[in-house]
C-alpha cells in the first residue's frame, strides 16, 4: 500500500509522521462497472442523488489508470483526483496544527511516529528561519560564495583564498563550499529556509552544481538531499522539496499575502519597506561588479552577499510573512510554501463536511459546463471634478451574499421543497448548506483578529473568504456551475442598482459605482463634519432598507453590511480617452488624514497614470504633483511649464525609463513587436525585466543607450495624457501651458 510522510514542528522539536498501509480512494456511482480496485458499498450518494461505491487501490498509479479508462468511456470517477496525502488530513479536519498520539522513537535530531492517531489542535508554532543567498560568476556560472544569516549567526563560505575576515570561511573548491553550507544547515537545524527568488535560482543552482560535482545537497532533516522539481507547465512555479524544512521565497510569499510592489526586485522592495537596499545594485553591470569584487576585494563581496540575506530576513519580519503563512495554513490546510491553491483550499475545507452529509463530489473538470458568469457590476460614471463625494462600501459583499442567500454547492444539488431562488435557474436549500456556515465561522474569526489587532490573521481570513466566489466560478473547481457564480455576481448587480435607486430617492446622485461600492455626490457648500454625518446616516438607512427587503421579500436575515468608507473632499473622474463618456476603474480624490499630530490631506489614485507601473516615473510624479496642486487650489500653470522646460533641457532624463517584463522568449515575438522587446533584442543577455528609453532612433535599453532621447515622444505620450483629462475640466490643456507652439487665441 501507500506510505504517507508528514513533517511537523512541535514544542519538543521536529517530528516525522509515517502512515503505512493506506489506500488511494475514490468513488463510483453504483451502476458503473469497474475493472480494478477493491470495491465496497458505502452510505454515500453523488450530488445527482445516485448511490455510490468506494474503490480502494494499493497505489495511486492503479487509480489513475482506472480513472483514465472510465473517463474514456464517459463514466468519470467521483473524487478521483484527490491526493491520498491530502485526503488523510482533510478527513480528520486537520489543516495546520494537530495532536499526535502513539508510540514515538528518537531518530537523529527528530521524533519519529509510525501510524499514530491524529486530530486537530490549536497549537501555535514558533518557527526558526535561516536566510541564504548565493553569488555566481554568471546566471548559470560557477559558484563563488554562499551566505547564511539566521539563528543568531552570519557566515559566508567562499571559494578560494583571501584576506582573513570575521564573516568569511574559505574553501578550496565549489564542492567544499556546498558541503560546508549543508553541514551548517544541519547544525543550525532551521524550520524554514528563506531567500529571494530562492527556489528558481539559489536552491536550483546549488542542486544543479552539486550533481555536476558528484555530490548531493543534503540539507533535509533526515539527511536526504534537496530537490527542485520543474513545473508541469509554464504557468506553474518550480517546487522545492527539502524533507523536514519549508523553503519560502520572499516574492511568492508577499504576493500570496496580496502585497503589491511596482517592482519585486529585492533592492526596490527593501527600499520601500526598510528604507535601505543592496550594496551594489545600482551599478551598471552588477554581475561584472560581483566578478570584480571576487578577484579584487573578497571581504566586500562577503558583505554584499550577507546583506542580501539580512534584507530578506528583515522583510519577512517587517511584513510578518511567516505569521501570515502559518495563519493561512491553519485556515486552509495548504502547505506554507504553496503558491495559489484557492481551489485546493476550498476542497480541503468543503469535502470532509460534504462527506458528513452523506454525499461525495465529482472529479474536477467533469461538469461539462462551459457558460461563464458575469463579473462585478460597474455603473456608468459622471466625469468631471466634483466636490464632497462619499463612498459607501458593502463589507465583503460576495461572502455576505453567499451567507445571506445560502449559496452553496450542496444546497444547489439538493434544494429541498422551499428553496431560495438564485439566478440562471439556480435554487438553493433554505436549511441544508455548508458554505454559509464556513463563511460565518471565518467572519467571526476575522472580527476577533481585528479586535486584537492581529493583522496577519485578519488578512489571511479576508483573502480566503474572498477567494470562494472565484473558486466557484472557475472551471478548475469540481463544483463549477454558472448557476453558483451567477447567483453571486448577479445578486451583486441587483444590490448595487437598488442601493443606487435608494440613495437617489433620498436626494443625492451617484456619480460612480464598482462591484461593492457607491460614490455619492453631496456637492459643494457642505462642511466636512456635515458630510461625515450624511455618510453615517446613509449607511444606517441603507442597511435598514436591505434588512426589510430581505425579510419581506425573501424571508431571509440580511448579512449585508454597508460602511461609510471614505469622504473625498475633491474627486475627479476622467472621461474615456477619445470619448465623452466617463471612465471606469480610474479616478483620483483628496482625503483628510490624521497623522497623529495634525490633520493633513492625501491624494488617492485608482487606475490613473500615477499608480501604473507601465508609465514612466516622469508621468507618475508629474501627475501626482499636478493633482495635488489642483485639489488644494494651489497655482499649477507655472508648474506644468516648468516640467515641460526641464524635460526639453535634459534635466529629467533619469525619470524617462520604461520598465516592462518579458512574458515570452524573444524569438516568440514575431508580429507587432512591442518597444520593450525591440530594446531587449539590443542586449546580449537580457533578463526577464527590460528597462528602456525611447530615443530618436526608437527604443533602446538603458544599459546600452547610444542615441538622443526623443523628448517630443515623452511630451505627447507621457506628460500630455497624464495632465489633459483634468486640465480640460479647467478650460486648458498641456499644450497651452507647457507646449512650445504659439497660439493665435
Amino acid at each position: 500500500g501507500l506510505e504517507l510522510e508528514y513533517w511537523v514542528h512541535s514544542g519538543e522539536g521536529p517530528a516525522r509522521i509515517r502512515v503505512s498501509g493506506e489506500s488511494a480512494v475514490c468513488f463510483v456511482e453504483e451502476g458503473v462497472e469497474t475493472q480494478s480496485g477493491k470495491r465496497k458499498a458505502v452510505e454515500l450518494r453523488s450530488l445527482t442523488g445516485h448511490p455510490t461505491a468506494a474503490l480502494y487501490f494499493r497505489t495511486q498509479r492503479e487509480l489513475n489508470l482506472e480513472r483514465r479508462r472510465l473517463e474514456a468511456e464517459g463514466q468519470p470517477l467521483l473524487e478521483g483526483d484527490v491526493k491520498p496525502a491530502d485526503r488523510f488530513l482533510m478527513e480528520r479536519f486537520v489543516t495546520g496544527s494537530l495532536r499526535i498520539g502513539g508510540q514515538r522513537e528518537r531518530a537523529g535530531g527528530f521524533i519519529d511516529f509510525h501510524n499514530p492517531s491524529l486530530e486537530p489542535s490549536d497549537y501555535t508554532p514558533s518557527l526558526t528561519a535561516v536566510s541564504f543567498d548565493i553569488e555566481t560568476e554568471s546566471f548559470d556560472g560557477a559558484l563563488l560564495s554562499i551566505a547564511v544569516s539566521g539563528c543568531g549567526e552570519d557566515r559566508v563560505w567562499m571559494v578560494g583564498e583571501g584576506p582573513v575576515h570575521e564573516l568569511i570561511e574559505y574553501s578550496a573548491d565549489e564542492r567544499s563550499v556546498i558541503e560546508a553550507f549543508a553541514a551548517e544547515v544541519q547544525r543550525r537545524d532551521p524550520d524554514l529556509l528563506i531567500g529571494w527568488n530562492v527556489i528558481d535560482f539559489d536552491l536550483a543552482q546549488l542542486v544543479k552544481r552539486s550533481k555536476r560535482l558528484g555530490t548531493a545537497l543534503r540539507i533535509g532533516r533526515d539527511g536526504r538531499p534537496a530537490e527542485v522539481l520543474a513545473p508541469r507547465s509554464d504557468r506553474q512555479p518550480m517546487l522545492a522539496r527539502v524533507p523536514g524544512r519549508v523553503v519560502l521565497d520572499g516574492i511568492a510569499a508577499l504576493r500570496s499575502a496580496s502585497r503589491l510592489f511596482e517592482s519585486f526586485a529585492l533592492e526596490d522592495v527593501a527600499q520601500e519597506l526598510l528604507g535601505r537596499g543592496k550594496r551594489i545594485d545600482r551599478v551598471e553591470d552588477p554581475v561584472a561588479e560581483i566578478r570584480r569584487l571576487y578577484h579584487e576585494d573578497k571581504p566586500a563581496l562577503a558583505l554584499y552577499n550577507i546583506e542580501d540575506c539580512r534584507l530578506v530576513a528583515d522583510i519577512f519580519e517587517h511584513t510578518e510573512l511567516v505569521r501570515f503563512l502559518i495563519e493561512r495554513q491553519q485556515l486552509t490546510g495548504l502547505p506554507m510554501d504553496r503558491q495559489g491553491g484557492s481551489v485546493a483550499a476550498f476542497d480541503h475545507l468543503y469535502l470532509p463536511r460534504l462527506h458528513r452529509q452523506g454525499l461525495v463530489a465529482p472529479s474536477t473538470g467533469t461538469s461539462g459546463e462551459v457558460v461563464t458568469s458575469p463579473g462585478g457590476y460597474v455603473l456608468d460614471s459622471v466625469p468631471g471634478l466634483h466636490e464632497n463625494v462619499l463612498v459607501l462600501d458593502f463589507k465583503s459583499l460576495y461572502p455576505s451574499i453567499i451567507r445571506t442567500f445560502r449559496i452553496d454547492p450542496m444546497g444547489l444539488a439538493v434544494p429541498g421543497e422551499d428553496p431560495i431562488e438564485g439566478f440562471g435557474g439556480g435554487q438553493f436549500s433554505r436549511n441544508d448548506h455548508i458554505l454559509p456556515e464556513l463563511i460565518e465561522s471565518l467572519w467571526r474569526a476575522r472580527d476577533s483578529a481585528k479586535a486584537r489587532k492581529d493583522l496577519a490573521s485578519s488578512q489571511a481570513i479576508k483573502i480566503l473568504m474572498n477567494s470562494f466566489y472565484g473558486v466557484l466560478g472557475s472551471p478548475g473547481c469540481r463544483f463549477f456551475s454558472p448557476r453558483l457564480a451567477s447567483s453571486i455576481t448577479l445578486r451583486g448587480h441587483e444590490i448595487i442598482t437598488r442601493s443606487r435607486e435608494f440613495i437617489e430617492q433620498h436626494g443625492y446622485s451617484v456619480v460612480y459605482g464598482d462591484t461593492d461600492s457607491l460614490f455619492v455626490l453631496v456637492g459643494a457648500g457642505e462642511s466636512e463634519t456635515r458630510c461625515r454625518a450624511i455618510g453615517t446616516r446613509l449607511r444606517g438607512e441603507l442597511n435598514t432598507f436591505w434588512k426589510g427587503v430581505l425579510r419581506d421579500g425573501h424571508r431571509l436575515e440580511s448579512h449585508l453590511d454597508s460602511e461609510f468608507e471614505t469622504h473625498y473632499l475633491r474627486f475627479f473622474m476622467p472621461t474615456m480617452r477619445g470619448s465623452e463618456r466617463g471612465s471606469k476603474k480610474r479616478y483620483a480624490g483628496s482625503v483628510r488624514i490624521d497623522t497623529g499630530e495634525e490633520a493633513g490631506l492625501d491624494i488617492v489614485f485608482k487606475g490613473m497614470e500615477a499608480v501604473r507601473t507601465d508609465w514612466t516615473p516622469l508621468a507618475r510624479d508629474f501627475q501626482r504633483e499636478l493633482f495635488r496642486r489642483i485639489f488644494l487650489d494651489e497655482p499649477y500653470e507655472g508648474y506644468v511649464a516648468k516640467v515641460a522646460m526641464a524635460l526639453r533641457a535634459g534635466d529629467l532624463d533619469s525619470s524617462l525609463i520604461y520598465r516592462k517584463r518579458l512574458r515570452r522568449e524573444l524569438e516568440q515575438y514575431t508580429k507587432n513587436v512591442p518597444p520593450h522587446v525591440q530594446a531587449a533584442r539590443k542586449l546580449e543577455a537580457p533578463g526577464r525585466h527590460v528597462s528602456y528609453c525611447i530615443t530618436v532612433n526608437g527604443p533602446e535599453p538603458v544599459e546600452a543607450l547610444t542615441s538622443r532621447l526623443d523628448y517630443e515622444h515623452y511630451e505627447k505620450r507621457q506628460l500630455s495624457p497624464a495632465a489633459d483629462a483634468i486640465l480640460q475640466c479647467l478650460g486648458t490643456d498641456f499644450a497651452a501651458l507647457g507646449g512650445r507652439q504659439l497660439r493665435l487665441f
Side-chain angles (χ1 to χ4, degrees), residues 566-611:
T566 308
H567 170 209
Y568 288 110
L569 284 77
R570 306 193 79 178
F571 180 80
F572 173 67
M573 177 63 71
T575 58
M576 298 174 66
R577 290 192 177 92
S579 169
E580 297 292 322
R581 296 181 60 190
S583 185
K584 296 182 179 182
K585 298 184 182 295
R586 297 178 66 235
Y587 55 81
S590 58
V591 296
R592 183 74 65 190
I593 58 172
D594 186 353
T595 62
E597 298 179 358
E598 59 182 11
L601 286 178
D602 189 23
I603 311 299
V604 175
F605 292 89
K606 175 69 181 291
M608 302 289 288
E609 291 80 3
V611 291

Side-chain angles (χ1 to χ4, degrees), residues 10 41 109 126 258 298 388 406 412 456 487 498 510 527 576 586 611 626 637 663 669 709 729 743:
S10 81
S126 179
S258 297
K298 286 186 173 66
N388 293 319
R406 314 288 200 269
L412 177 67
S487 293
R498 292 194 64 177
V510 174
S527 68
M576 298 174 66
R586 297 178 66 235
V611 291
L626 176 63
E637 296 90 344
R663 301 191 178 278
Y669 293 91
L709 298 184
C729 290
R743 294 187 170 187

